[in-house]
Amino acid sequence: MPAGDWGDIYKELGAVPVINATGSVTMLGGSTPIPEVREAMAQADGAYIPLMELQEAAGAAIARMANVPAAYITSGAGSALMLATAAAMAGDDDDRIQQLPNTEGMKNEILIQTRQRYWYDRCLELAGAKLVMFGSEGQTTREDLESAIGPNTAAVHYYAVEQEYDPDALSLEDTIAIAHARDVLVTVDAAGQIYPLENFGKYVRMGADFQCIAAKYMGAPQSTGLALGSDEMIRKIGLQAFASYEGRRVRGVGRPQKVDRQEMVGAVAAVRAWMTTNHEDRLADVERRTRTIFSAVDGVAGLKADLMDNVIGHQPYGLNIRVDSAVAGFDVYELRDRLKEGDPPIWTRVRDGEDCITIHMFGLNPGEDRIVGERIAALFRK
């Protein structure tokens, strides 16, 4: 069991705290701010500051560290996606900024490969944009994009996942070349592409006009994200955001997506810490904790555990757990449910289309790796 005061602040409210064996997921809180971030946020409490000025200064600091032209702090990566589509459609025209999400008279189509549709592309539509697919389920060619670009195309969106190379998708290099030849913007969702460090901002350096990053993956508050991009694109993103709504008195669609001053300096501190941390030590610690769970479940009848050796992105290592229901007497979904019903509850998940529970170390506190491994093993030995 965790320490005696574990989760008491939630229990006092009548809510049930859980052990997070799923990873950095929004529905469980997303992140645990690192000490450098908590200290920076505490220092920010001591004074007020005009937030348009802070956004500019904080963005400039992040841009320098990421080696990109410009950056802007947003209310999560999803907010960055929405603001980017608003910028692509309305630009710096204040009348159009205030007209959104009504896009009449604007280019309002965001192109996306059929093969790259994903759960969070919904964020691209929130400012009023229309998603238009190109290519097929099987493959995307240069000709598919060339024929899809039309008079209403505002941008082409690309979903970057370095861990899962797709040879049948149109590459980002080709996407940028074709789109820019037609004076069309390219936006990239790279929310988790923060390691190796050369991937941090890589897509902007390749020529994309914008990419997003979820700052929670670096130990910033869950509600912070980064928009990285060209000077022009980031300037226009700032015009759509909440600080501009108040500071310029122009009513953009980004007003509900507020970021406080403490979170802004926390995001800067998180990037600074990420860029200077010893990642070999970080990865070694994650691998050690992964093996703690693996050692507890390896060889248990009815259970098969496979170690993952990926180190790219925000959630390295981890393990996949499969269930032989003929031996165990239950399937992987019941295992997930039994873990959730325990005391304390352990949250895991089975992704759509998969037959395993994937466990990551990101959300586990010290010692919880052992608890997770022992709990799983015990369920199979009953």
Side-chain angles (χ1 to χ4, degrees), residues 130-190:
K130 176 183 178 182
L131 280 180
V132 176
M133 292 184 288
F134 66 97
S136 69
E137 293 282 357
Q139 187 181 41
T140 314
T141 66
R142 291 177 60 94
E143 291 74 21
D144 290 329
L145 177 54
E146 289 168 347
S147 62
I149 294 175
N152 289 321
T153 304
V156 183
H157 185 66
Y158 192 91
Y159 181 40
V161 185
E162 297 279 345
Q163 302 93 316
E164 302 172 9
Y165 173 68
D166 183 356
D168 293 314
L170 186 65
S171 69
L172 180 56
E173 292 90 342
D174 284 344
T175 300
I176 292 170
I178 294 167
H180 283 182
R182 306 282 190 90
D183 292 324
V184 172
L185 298 169
V186 175
T187 64
V188 178
D189 186 338

Side-chain angles (χ1 to χ4, degrees), residues 234-253:
I234 297 303
R235 181 181 68 84
K236 291 177 179 177
I237 283 175
L239 298 178
Q240 326 297 321
F242 83 94
S244 179
Y245 190 110
E246 301 296 346
R248 298 195 312 122
R249 307 303 290 174
V250 176
R251 302 196 299 177
V253 291

Side-chain angles (χ1 to χ4, degrees), residues 281-292:
D281 287 351
R282 175 182 67 87
L283 292 171
D285 179 64
V286 177
E287 183 179 15
R288 177 189 59 76
R289 291 188 290 134
T290 300
R291 290 189 177 278
T292 296

Side-chain angles (χ1 to χ4, degrees), residues 42-57:
Q43 291 183 29
D45 281 338
Y48 285 84
I49 188 167
L51 292 188
M52 289 183 68
E53 178 182 337
L54 179 57
Q55 280 281 28
E56 184 174 346

Side-chain angles (χ1 to χ4, degrees), residues 107-333:
K107 296 181 178 182
N108 68 345
E109 293 180 353
I110 308 296
L111 304 185
I112 185 170
Q113 296 184 51
T114 302
R115 291 184 60 82
Q116 291 195 335
R117 291 301 304 270
Y118 65 115
W119 185 250
Y120 299 103
D121 63 29
R122 172 66 170 150
C123 299
L124 301 168
E125 300 176 295
L126 298 180
K130 176 183 178 182
L131 280 180
V132 176
M133 292 184 288
F134 66 97
S136 69
E137 293 282 357
Q139 187 181 41
T140 314
T141 66
R142 291 177 60 94
E143 291 74 21
D144 290 329
L145 177 54
E146 289 168 347
S147 62
I149 294 175
N152 289 321
T153 304
V156 183
H157 185 66
Y158 192 91
Y159 181 40
V161 185
E162 297 279 345
Q163 302 93 316
E164 302 172 9
Y165 173 68
D166 183 356
D168 293 314
L170 186 65
S171 69
L172 180 56
E173 292 90 342
D174 284 344
T175 300
I176 292 170
I178 294 167
H180 283 182
R182 306 282 190 90
D183 292 324
V184 172
L185 298 169
V186 175
T187 64
V188 178
D189 186 338
Q193 302 309 308
I194 60 173
Y195 187 82
L197 292 182
E198 56 263 28
N199 287 355
F200 199 114
K202 166 184 174 180
Y203 314 98
V204 171
R205 292 190 294 274
M206 289 174 63
D209 301 279
F210 156 91
Q211 74 167 87
C212 67
I213 286 176
K216 67 178 182 178
Y217 296 142
M218 296 170 285
Q222 150 148 282
S223 51
T224 55
L226 307 178
L228 310 179
S230 66
D231 287 320
E232 185 73 359
M233 186 67 174
I234 297 303
R235 181 181 68 84
K236 291 177 179 177
I237 283 175
L239 298 178
Q240 326 297 321
F242 83 94
S244 179
Y245 190 110
E246 301 296 346
R248 298 195 312 122
R249 307 303 290 174
V250 176
R251 302 196 299 177
V253 291
R255 177 59 182 83
Q257 298 166 6
K258 187 184 295 186
V259 186
D260 64 30
R261 66 193 191 279
Q262 297 91 338
E263 290 176 316
M264 290 181 195
V265 297
V268 174
V271 175
R272 183 178 296 117
W274 188 253
M275 292 298 184
T276 57
T277 197
N278 184 322
H279 287 283
E280 290 186 1
D281 287 351
R282 175 182 67 87
L283 292 171
D285 179 64
V286 177
E287 183 179 15
R288 177 189 59 76
R289 291 188 290 134
T290 300
R291 290 189 177 278
T292 296
I293 299 177
F294 180 79
S295 296
V297 302
D298 187 34
V300 172
L303 178 157
K304 178 174 174 53
D306 296 306
L307 287 167
M308 294 184 291
D309 60 3
N310 168 65
V311 298
I312 299 175
H314 65 286
Q315 291 193 137
Y317 296 109
L319 66 163
N320 293 320
I321 293 179
R322 291 176 171 83
V323 176
D324 183 341
S325 56
V327 175
F330 54 87
D331 61 18
V332 71
Y333 298 98

